[in-house]
Amino acid sequence: MTTDTAVSTPDLAGDSLAREAWRRLRQNQAATLSLVLLALTTLACVIGPWLTPWGLDEVDWNAFLTAPSLADGHYAGTDANGRDLLTRVLHGGRVSLSVALVATLVSLLIGVLYGAVAGFLGGRVDNLMMRFVDIMYSLPFMFLVILLMVVFGRNILLIYAAIGAVEWLDMSRIVRGQVLALKRREFVEAAHALGVRGHKIVTRHLIPNAIGPVIVYVTLTVPKVILLESFLSFLGLGVQEPLTSWGVLISEGKDMMETAPWMLLVPSVFLALTLLCLNFLGDGLRDALDPKTR
Amino acid sequence: MPGYILKRLLQAIPTLWIVITLSFFLMHLAPGGPFDGERQLPPEIEANLLATYHLDEPVWKQYLIYMGNLLQGDLGPSFKYKDFSVTELVAQGFPVSLELGLWAIGLALLIGLPLGVIAALKRNSTVDYLVMGAALAGVAIPNFVIAPLLALVFGVFLAWLPVGGWNDGQWQNLVLPVVALSIQQIAYIARMMRASMIEVLGSHFIRTARAKGLTEAEVIWRHALRPAMLPVVSYLGPAVAGIITGSVVIEQIFGIPGIGRYFVQAALNRDYTLVMGTVVFYGALIVLLNLLVDLTYSALDPQIRHDD
């Protein structure tokens, strides 16, 4: 956690929340570096597979289990079937990152709706809805997700939905708390008193104030989701051949680590680096968006 | 206090019931059954088998039978490990998983707490940055990446420790899985401890203690440590859950005969009763541990009293 030592000058013009946060984020070197690295990784995974000379399932009959080398074009070596590892890691990255994106959106959608409704309605409904969340919290979810994958087969759409359906609990709590706290604040009352219309209060006052924690939490959900997907893939319950993901590749690499350590190291580095960057970025965003540290 | 415990235990019943019911119907929705093995059984034998285990009944009836047996403490026979009941399998695997988990939690506290305190005391120094950087890496890197890497370095390259196996819990076999399981928890605990220690050190009663003329060591040991540990205690519930799920992977990687390994195998084999047994067991365990954590919390924090 880096603390911002720079004192921001009081800006009388009144910057927008987004611009202010962006400026503070850029002062955080670790977060900026993470953002750049993440952008590069994403770019590599999206366009990389077209640039490498090998296909996802293409077998190079001259190179089985060869170590990384610049000479033969297998920059990260090959696996036991003579497939180019770099190509596979980039393809796997597409799957892992797409799961991260979609599953996070699913959890965001469920969590925000559920939390906002509970917080807005309040009273008995709120009580009931939050009791339900409490019960969900105490379920051993990992086991249910594993069961789900076993039951319905290894289908990527199901992975999106299952992971999203598991990760919405924290989001709903955060949003509910925000809505509950904000709807009684003085500035909302003041807006009412000044005759601001209801929808205007929601868009001008409630949403901008609630969105900070949500954004921060989304950044922290993404690594969790990637982790869950690779955990499932590692256990052999994730995506299916010919698709691959970082978890699948790590699992394959683990079995070959004594003869071909690069098969374990390359996907591990990609996964670990991505997760690390996302965590740094999340921390940085929290510092940048938290109104209390302003 | 006893009233509070009773209330919590009663609240646990619906939770457990939901877990059991959900997993039961999920499991039975799965295509295929426990006896669709590689060898085709003669129809009469298969019918007999299904009848013995009530698998020919409608699912809701199977559910009632299962719940009835469960209430009498009978988890049923395993379909795959023919000569064992699920209770026996759980009783066999649990001590192994428990030993692994206890060591991992112990190690996490033993290393995580002091690291967090040191980082808080040396705030914004090189030590602090090093510890917190390492902790962030520890949070970010999953245990199924760390575990094979540890095995690769210490088992294969250096050949100091065995790559896998249990060997009746010899310490050489314990080291790598325990370390792999605890690294993430060490990192979480260190981060949490640092944050709460910094907050506590800035509070009024610490200033009072210093003003009394206590040495810095006394201030920290007698006044700051206990309140600073509260968030860590409340984190122990999730930590235990994390170690339990982690052990599913770790036991598989290191070939350790605990319950975690059974679970995935059993689900893939459609070994209904063993899957259910594991879920029931872990569900109950997590609920109980959460209660224990809450009780510890109130023992540490005099502001929280569980009155009835």
Side-chain angles (χ1 to χ4, degrees):
Chain A
M1 259 168 275
T2 48
T3 43
D4 249 352
T5 42
V7 180
S8 49
T9 47
D11 30 26
L12 299 170
D15 266 346
S16 77
L17 181 88
R19 193 179 303 161
E20 163 98 17
W22 175 240
R23 208 188 60 226
R24 290 160 62 89
L25 188 67
R26 283 228 312 254
Q27 284 169 1
N28 184 335
Q29 289 171 350
T32 315
L33 183 67
S34 301
L35 195 61
V36 171
L37 277 176
L38 279 174
L40 287 178
T41 312
T42 313
L43 203 67
C45 290
V46 173
I47 61 171
W50 288 313
L51 299 181
T52 57
W54 313 97
L56 173 63
D57 269 338
E58 196 180 329
V59 176
D60 182 350
W61 299 96
N62 300 315
F64 289 97
L65 273 188
T66 52
S69 91
L70 290 176
D72 61 359
H74 297 295
Y75 303 122
T78 57
D79 69 3
N81 296 323
R83 297 177 294 191
D84 184 53
L85 193 59
L86 185 63
T87 310
R88 289 183 69 72
V89 168
L90 293 178
H91 269 286
R94 283 182 175 181
V95 171
S96 293
L97 293 176
S98 81
V99 170
L101 196 72
V102 178
T104 305
L105 282 180
V106 171
S107 82
L108 183 71
L109 196 72
I110 305 178
V112 168
L113 273 179
Y114 196 91
V117 168
F120 191 74
L121 294 177
R124 190 173 292 164
V125 182
D126 175 39
N127 216 332
L128 216 82
M129 286 174 83
M130 283 300 126
R131 278 299 305 159
F132 177 69
V133 170
D134 286 344
I135 291 178
M136 297 286 277
Y137 256 108
S138 51
L139 302 186
F141 255 121
M142 216 43 246
F143 293 94
L144 292 183
V145 172
I146 291 175
L147 270 187
L148 214 62
M149 297 313 296
V150 170
V151 171
F152 293 107
R154 305 183 296 164
N155 175 333
I156 191 157
L157 290 177
L158 181 68
I159 297 179
Y160 292 152
I163 297 180
V166 172
E167 292 291 341
W168 63 272
L169 295 174
D170 290 310
M171 183 62 79
S172 73
R173 278 193 172 176
I174 289 169
V175 172
R176 169 184 173 268
Q178 288 289 320
V179 171
L180 268 185
L182 287 172
K183 93 183 164 177
R184 307 189 196 294
R185 287 280 286 278
E186 292 89 344
F187 66 86
V188 176
E189 219 168 295
H192 270 300
L194 286 171
V196 183
R197 296 285 176 81
H199 69 96
K200 201 89 182 170
I201 291 180
V202 172
T203 51
R204 282 291 297 184
H205 298 284
L206 290 183
I207 290 179
N209 278 291
I211 210 159
V214 171
I215 290 177
V216 172
Y217 198 73
V218 165
T219 357
L220 296 175
T221 305
V222 174
K224 277 202 221 164
V225 167
I226 295 184
L227 208 66
L228 247 172
E229 183 274 327
S230 15
F231 178 84
L232 289 173
S233 294
F234 183 88
L235 288 174
L237 300 168
V239 293
Q240 233 168 341
E241 290 276 349
L243 279 183
T244 191
S245 82
W246 287 338
V248 175
L249 290 166
I250 290 171
S251 170
E252 287 171 8
K254 175 210 67 174
D255 297 331
M256 301 296 293
M257 69 181 178
E258 293 179 38
T259 43
W262 58 89
M263 279 182 64
L264 174 60
L265 292 175
V266 177
S268 299
V269 166
F270 267 83
L271 177 66
L273 202 68
T274 305
L275 293 175
L276 200 61
C277 287
L278 282 166
N279 274 291
F280 268 119
L281 187 63
D283 271 6
L285 272 176
R286 183 170 49 204
D287 291 343
L289 283 168
D290 188 356
K292 277 184 285 185
T293 61
R294 208 168 279 168
Chain B
M1 196 63 133
Y4 173 74
I5 297 176
L6 195 72
K7 200 173 116 199
R8 285 288 304 266
L9 285 176
L10 285 179
Q11 277 175 357
I13 292 173
T15 309
L16 277 178
W17 175 73
I18 291 176
V19 176
I20 294 166
T21 309
L22 241 146
S23 0
F24 186 89
F25 286 103
L26 261 182
M27 195 72 231
H28 282 265
L29 268 177
F35 300 116
D36 316 341
E38 42 303 345
R39 202 152 46 92
Q40 192 62 45
L41 295 167
E44 305 82 21
I45 298 184
E46 192 170 350
N48 264 336
L49 264 175
L50 292 181
T52 315
Y53 293 119
H54 304 292
L55 289 174
D56 52 350
E57 312 263 14
V59 175
W60 63 268
K61 211 162 178 184
Q62 290 185 42
Y63 173 72
L64 290 183
I65 294 172
Y66 185 81
M67 289 310 271
N69 289 339
L70 188 64
L71 287 178
Q72 295 163 40
D74 181 9
L75 291 172
S78 164
F79 293 137
K80 203 75 190 177
Y81 305 90
K82 293 271 159 48
D83 297 325
F84 295 95
S85 74
V86 171
T87 317
E88 280 169 337
L89 286 173
V90 170
Q92 241 175 46
F94 182 58
V96 173
S97 299
L98 181 71
E99 192 176 352
L100 201 64
L102 281 181
W103 278 111
I105 274 281
L107 193 70
L109 289 172
L110 208 68
I111 299 179
L113 289 178
L115 275 184
V117 173
I118 290 168
L121 293 178
K122 311 253 179 209
R123 194 179 172 187
N124 294 338
S125 71
T126 321
V127 183
D128 182 21
Y129 290 141
L130 277 179
V131 170
M132 283 305 111
L136 197 57
V139 168
I141 302 172
N143 49 20
F144 59 85
V145 171
I146 290 175
L149 290 180
L150 282 176
L152 184 65
V153 173
F154 294 100
V156 178
F157 290 160
L158 297 172
W160 287 350
L161 294 160
V163 179
W166 181 241
N167 211 359
D168 287 331
Q170 292 282 317
W171 70 267
Q172 292 96 330
N173 293 73
L174 265 171
V175 176
L176 291 182
V178 166
V179 170
L181 255 183
S182 59
I183 282 184
Q184 208 158 28
Q185 309 306 331
I186 293 176
Y188 269 118
I189 290 175
R191 279 166 63 111
M192 218 169 270
M193 191 65 192
R194 175 184 180 272
S196 81
M197 193 74 185
I198 285 174
E199 206 182 312
V200 168
L201 284 177
S203 56
H204 293 305
F205 69 92
I206 293 295
R207 201 167 57 185
T208 313
R210 285 200 179 116
K212 284 198 308 195
L214 294 184
T215 62
E216 195 60 24
E218 274 176 315
V219 169
I220 289 156
W221 191 249
R222 300 232 316 252
H223 293 275
L225 216 49
R226 207 167 82 158
M229 266 167 55
L230 285 177
V232 177
V233 171
S234 63
Y235 171 69
L236 281 181
V240 168
I243 281 188
I244 286 173
T245 34
S247 67
V248 172
V249 171
I250 297 291
E251 285 176 12
Q252 211 177 30
I253 292 175
F254 290 102
I256 292 168
I259 318 187
R261 210 175 50 153
Y262 282 143
F263 179 72
V264 179
Q265 292 288 314
L268 290 171
N269 289 335
R270 305 282 184 277
D271 194 342
Y272 295 146
T273 44
L274 186 51
V275 170
M276 290 303 301
T278 333
V279 171
V280 171
F281 183 75
Y282 273 146
L285 193 69
I286 289 176
V287 167
L288 268 181
L289 284 170
N290 277 335
L291 174 60
L292 207 66
V293 164
D294 286 354
L295 292 178
T296 320
Y297 198 88
S298 65
L300 274 175
D301 186 356
Q303 289 171 25
I304 298 173
R305 284 279 178 262
H306 295 299
D307 302 319
D308 303 299

